[in-house]
Amino acid sequence: MEEFIAGWTVRHGATRDRLLPLLHAMQEEAGYIDDAWVPTIAKALNLSRADVHGVVTFYHDFRRTAPGRHVVKLCRAESCQARGGAAIEAAAAQRLGVAMGETRADGQVALEPVYCLGLCAIGPNALVDGRPVARIDAAALERIALEVAA
Amino acid sequence: MKVYVSRDMASVALGADDVARAFAEAGCDVVRTGSRGLFSIEPLVEVEMDDGRIGFGPVGPQDVAAVLDGSHASRLGRIEDLPFFAGQQRFTFARCGVIDPLSLSDYAAHGGWQGLEKARALAPQAVVDAVKASGLRGRGGAGFPTGIKWQTVLDAPSPTKFIVCNADEGDSGTFADRMLMEGDPYCLIEGMACAAHAVGASHGYIYIRSEYPFCIATMRAAIEASAHLVAPFELEVREGAGAYVCGEETALLDSIEGQRGQVRAKPPLPALQGLFGQPTVINNVLSLAAVPFILSEGPEAYAAVGFGRSRGTMPVQLAGNVKHGGLYEIGFGITLGELVNVIGGGTASGRPVRAVQVGGPLGAYFPPSMFHLPFDYEAFTQAGGLIGHAGITLFDDSVDMAHMARFAMEFCAAESCGKCTPCRIGSTRGVEIMDRIIGAREAAPTGGSEAVGGYLGKALYSRSPDRIDVSIEAQTMLLRDLADTMKYGSLCALGGFTPYPVLSALDYFPEDFGAPAPIKEAAE
Ligand SMILES: Cc1cc2nc3c(=O)[nH]c(=O)nc-3n(C[C@H](O)[C@H](O)[C@H](O)COP(=O)(O)O)c2cc1C
Ligand code: SF4
Ligand code: FES
């Protein structure tokens, strides 16, 4: 990661306002932000470690542990709830074998909450490995489960 | 044959990519557009025929032959003629769903860049005056007059100023910013370039939430393709990181600067000391995207529609359990009931509408008895709610309003930036109170003052056995007291407005909180 950070800051700059873009780039590259990398980030951007740690932990997007091989981000917000989102959430946890907000023990799939995807008239909605899926019912959930089993 | 298929994230979620592929494989010239904005007809295909663009929807990839020979059962005719579209006043969304979002020639052919041309022919003060005359108020939620904000930035003496577009759109039930950025990105760019000319800024940021990957890609491509047209003004996209509170303008500025997204105390106003301490215009996507129309058609044309002090149009978003969900741009003044029942067609489930939440997670829940309310900033404020970003979420009669009140507190607890106590701590206490009310309600479904039993009761009693009265009445009083503290003691609207959904649920639907049904008796 040290090399990645060094290369990135050469290309995109090393000012304080580069912190979020850098964290996004690192997560894109590695899947998460390891606590062990915080000192290197801090040094590269001339910030304190506490400062970087504070930012990493503030934003819901940044993971501090490796994610599942597949990530299902299921919407929990009001409009999806109005369309039966809570029942789908329970069914998804059951079918995928993982509680909301967790990664399954075998590392195959993570079920993560998201609060609105801007698809609010066609819920319940999810992003399955980044692909938007709408109107999730039992059949759609089964398709998702098969997809993430691969 | 030329066909049009949307590439909007909602259309794609409903299968538009497969449909587009099938038509391309059949030899059609497929143009990917933004969404027209009515999701019950998506995936929608429009075919260029002798009598114009004829829509078919919803269609699947297996329907290609039947669509192309015109025999498909879901033939809709011209989209503009459908009742859902015929009643709209599309000022901001005129091009969305019609053009190829990234085609500069399409944009120019449909009136693009005329606003910027007009702006650049005017002195900065004249541009600000035009925006003032249009009566445009911020579409991000607070409804602050845009022209006055711009005037403050114009008058601020500084060689460096910024234009920041708030594209964080975190409210559930809203998707207008997303649709515009995906369907007509140059419109936003043009609006920002007008703002830059008006206040003397040379750099702009568009802060887009990470939940909108299609938007981020479209805006980045559009910025690159149009850079030569807006130069010397420069633009860049900043991606959010999943924090709702970063939609609050000062938290958003902190986030761009690379900090935790914490709310700043005002003053100083961002207009005077905003991004990197410099004078900054920060506006919602829809506020900025309204500006090209205002300049090209004239502020009078914009101000001519509307209601009271709410001028122009609002892109209303119909969401949740709604039959005809989508985007409906219309002048202010239309009633809530018309939007819900006539345009939205009631619920998708076919059951009665029980409640609508207007204005996202910080907005009030209204029962059908309030459907006479005109869509207007002042009218909603007076009724104890807000328009916010104009999202309307429908719920049918299966909704549990105590559960929704609990969710409002839970959401506030999850998203609080942590700066002030009423919000940071109050929201967590609010979840606990709601748990006690729901627990007591379940224990004594007719209402009454039985204490909470089981695990929860034990936890409560073990802490302070004689001081906590866990009866529904006592907990409801405590909830009102807490809401009061949050409302008046919070630094920003996250903590300050969470009482709206909570108290409106309690006031209009007391029976869900274990109290008797009539509203009067539950009021105190
Ligand atoms: C918790 C919170 C979240 C907000 N989220 C948004 C948002 O997602 N988009 C937005 O434009 N304004 C949002 N606002 C309002 C902004 O603070 C600000 O009023 C707005 O960006 C000003 O732009 P406008 O005048 O064009 O509306 C939010 C405010 C609060 C308190
Ligand atoms: S009300 Fe909540 S979100 Fe707003 S400043 Fe206070 S703690 Fe932060
Ligand atoms: S509430 Fe689920 S997508 Fe908006």
Side-chain angles (χ1 to χ4, degrees):
Chain A
M1 262 300 148
E2 248 162 74
E3 250 169 66
F4 180 88
I5 295 168
W8 193 93
T9 47
V10 167
R11 266 173 289 127
H12 301 281
T15 46
R16 139 130 251 166
D17 72 297
R18 296 281 122 188
L19 179 53
L20 258 75
L22 172 61
L23 293 174
H24 272 304
M26 289 176 70
Q27 183 152 304
E28 180 85 31
E29 173 79 12
Y32 69 111
I33 316 280
D34 199 307
D35 284 348
W37 304 332
V38 167
T40 319
I41 301 169
K43 205 161 155 210
L45 300 189
N46 196 23
L47 301 168
S48 75
R49 276 189 269 169
D51 207 339
V52 175
H53 176 80
V55 170
V56 173
T57 52
F58 181 85
Y59 293 95
H60 300 302
D61 275 4
F62 299 128
R63 296 188 198 93
R64 293 162 69 204
T65 51
R69 276 182 285 284
H70 297 280
V71 178
V72 179
K73 291 192 179 196
L74 190 63
C75 179
R76 296 198 67 220
E78 289 92 339
S79 294
C80 283
Q81 289 189 39
R83 302 177 62 92
I88 286 297
E89 182 181 326
Q94 170 87 34
R95 179 62 183 84
L96 300 177
V98 56
M100 181 51 106
E102 315 235 321
T103 303
R104 205 164 74 191
D106 64 359
Q108 182 66 19
V109 58
L111 183 61
E112 296 182 353
V114 61
Y115 293 94
C116 194
L117 296 165
L119 312 171
C120 318
I122 50 174
N125 303 306
L127 284 178
V128 180
D129 294 329
R131 185 175 55 87
V133 185
R135 292 194 188 130
I136 299 177
D137 53 12
L141 188 59
E142 191 54 36
R143 284 194 295 277
I144 292 170
L146 293 175
E147 190 183 326
V148 301
Chain B
M1 200 178 270
K2 200 166 185 176
V3 304
Y4 301 85
V5 182
S6 160
R7 42 175 272 178
D8 181 276
M9 184 165 157
S11 315
V12 170
L14 293 171
D17 280 352
D18 292 339
V19 173
R21 200 172 309 118
F23 277 89
E25 277 164 10
C28 294
D29 173 14
V30 181
V31 179
R32 300 302 296 269
T33 63
S35 171
R36 290 279 196 169
L38 174 59
F39 300 120
S40 52
I41 59 170
E42 299 256 16
L44 168 72
V45 176
E46 288 176 71
V47 185
E48 200 130 283
M49 294 186 174
D50 298 337
D51 42 349
R53 270 165 77 158
I54 302 301
F56 297 83
V59 297
Q62 72 284 354
D63 298 329
V64 175
V67 166
L68 291 180
D69 69 23
S71 69
H72 198 278
S74 52
R75 181 185 172 115
L76 301 165
R78 281 163 35 95
I79 297 303
E80 293 84 357
D81 299 339
L82 295 180
F84 187 88
F85 295 94
Q88 295 195 42
Q89 291 164 303
R90 287 214 166 185
F91 289 6
T92 302
F93 280 80
R95 281 176 294 258
C96 190
V98 178
I99 62 168
D100 171 354
L102 288 172
S103 160
L104 282 169
S105 55
D106 268 14
Y107 186 66
H110 286 78
W113 308 119
Q114 285 176 14
L116 182 59
E117 233 168 81
K118 285 255 171 70
R120 284 182 166 168
L122 294 171
Q125 184 61 56
V127 178
V128 173
D129 288 342
V131 173
K132 276 186 196 161
S134 74
L136 176 66
R137 294 167 72 178
R139 300 291 188 245
F144 187 82
T146 305
I148 293 178
K149 190 183 280 188
W150 290 18
Q151 184 73 60
T152 311
V153 179
L154 172 61
D155 293 342
S158 171
T160 312
K161 298 178 185 178
F162 295 102
I163 309 294
V164 174
C165 172
N166 187 341
D168 201 48
E169 198 169 61
D171 292 356
S172 168
T174 66
F175 42 81
D177 296 352
R178 184 186 64 66
M179 267 185 62
L180 187 98
M181 287 187 284
E182 291 183 28
D184 196 10
Y186 298 129
C187 179
L188 173 59
I189 291 173
E190 185 179 352
M192 292 183 73
C194 293
H197 175 73
V199 304
S202 56
H203 200 93
Y205 291 86
I206 306 175
Y207 186 93
I208 307 179
R209 62 201 300 256
S210 61
E211 292 87 342
Y212 284 1
F214 287 42
C215 263
I216 293 171
T218 306
M219 280 316 311
R220 287 208 163 120
I223 287 171
E224 207 179 305
S226 63
H228 61 292
L229 294 167
V230 299
F233 182 54
E234 282 179 357
L235 271 169
E236 69 180 279
V237 167
R238 277 307 172 89
E239 182 177 355
Y244 175 77
V245 73
C246 287
E248 197 283 333
E249 54 189 8
T250 59
L252 188 152
L253 296 177
D254 269 17
S255 187
I256 295 181
E257 291 179 6
Q259 327 255 10
R260 297 158 66 92
Q262 277 192 318
V263 175
R264 303 178 186 171
K266 284 183 258 187
L269 291 174
L272 295 172
Q273 284 178 46
L275 190 62
F276 305 115
Q278 301 300 328
T280 301
V281 167
I282 175 161
N283 273 129
N284 175 252
V285 174
L286 301 180
S287 317
L288 291 161
V291 170
F293 177 96
I294 289 168
L295 291 170
S296 68
E297 309 303 312
E300 306 78 23
Y302 193 79
V305 300
F307 182 91
R309 284 171 48 218
S310 307
R311 307 314 308 171
T313 60
M314 191 73 195
V316 175
Q317 299 126 87
L318 298 167
N321 195 335
V322 59
K323 194 165 171 198
H324 300 301
L327 180 124
Y328 196 90
E329 183 175 352
I330 182 90
F332 286 96
I334 185 171
T335 66
L336 182 56
E338 237 177 299
L339 286 166
V340 170
N341 290 323
V342 182
I343 292 151
T347 63
S349 62
R351 303 171 66 107
V353 179
R354 180 150 186 251
V356 298
Q357 185 178 31
V358 184
L362 308 176
Y365 286 98
F366 291 114
S369 63
M370 299 295 283
F371 279 7
H372 60 275
L373 278 180
F375 222 69
D376 163 62
Y377 288 105
E378 276 69 35
F380 269 68
T381 307
Q382 224 164 39
L386 49 111
I387 290 184
H389 195 47
I392 303 181
T393 297
L394 275 66
F395 293 81
D396 71 12
D397 59 356
S398 65
V399 66
D400 175 352
M401 294 307 297
H403 176 83
M404 298 318 295
R406 183 191 187 281
F407 180 80
M409 287 291 192
E410 186 189 346
F411 185 76
C412 182
E415 301 298 332
S416 171
C417 85
K419 188 132 177 171
C420 54
T421 320
C423 168
R424 184 183 70 243
I425 310 282
S427 52
T428 299
R429 296 288 94 88
V431 173
E432 293 165 2
I433 296 175
M434 282 314 305
D435 279 341
R436 271 175 238 143
I437 291 177
I438 292 168
R441 178 191 76 178
E442 247 107 78
T446 48
S449 42
E450 250 169 76
V452 185
Y455 149 78
L456 188 59
K458 226 185 266 169
L460 290 171
Y461 285 110
S462 66
R463 249 186 299 172
S464 45
D466 9 273
R467 276 183 296 129
I468 292 189
D469 176 356
V470 294
S471 71
I472 283 181
E473 290 81 359
Q475 291 298 318
T476 306
M477 240 163 70
L478 193 59
L479 184 67
R480 285 189 185 281
D481 202 39
L482 174 69
D484 214 51
T485 305
M486 288 175 73
K487 186 167 176 183
Y488 296 105
S490 295
L491 181 59
C492 87
L494 182 50
F497 287 6
T498 292
Y500 281 132
V502 174
L503 293 185
S504 59
L506 177 60
D507 287 338
Y508 292 122
F509 308 94
E511 62 275 23
D512 287 12
F513 292 71
I519 290 169
K520 298 171 231 89
E521 292 174 42
E524 280 319 323

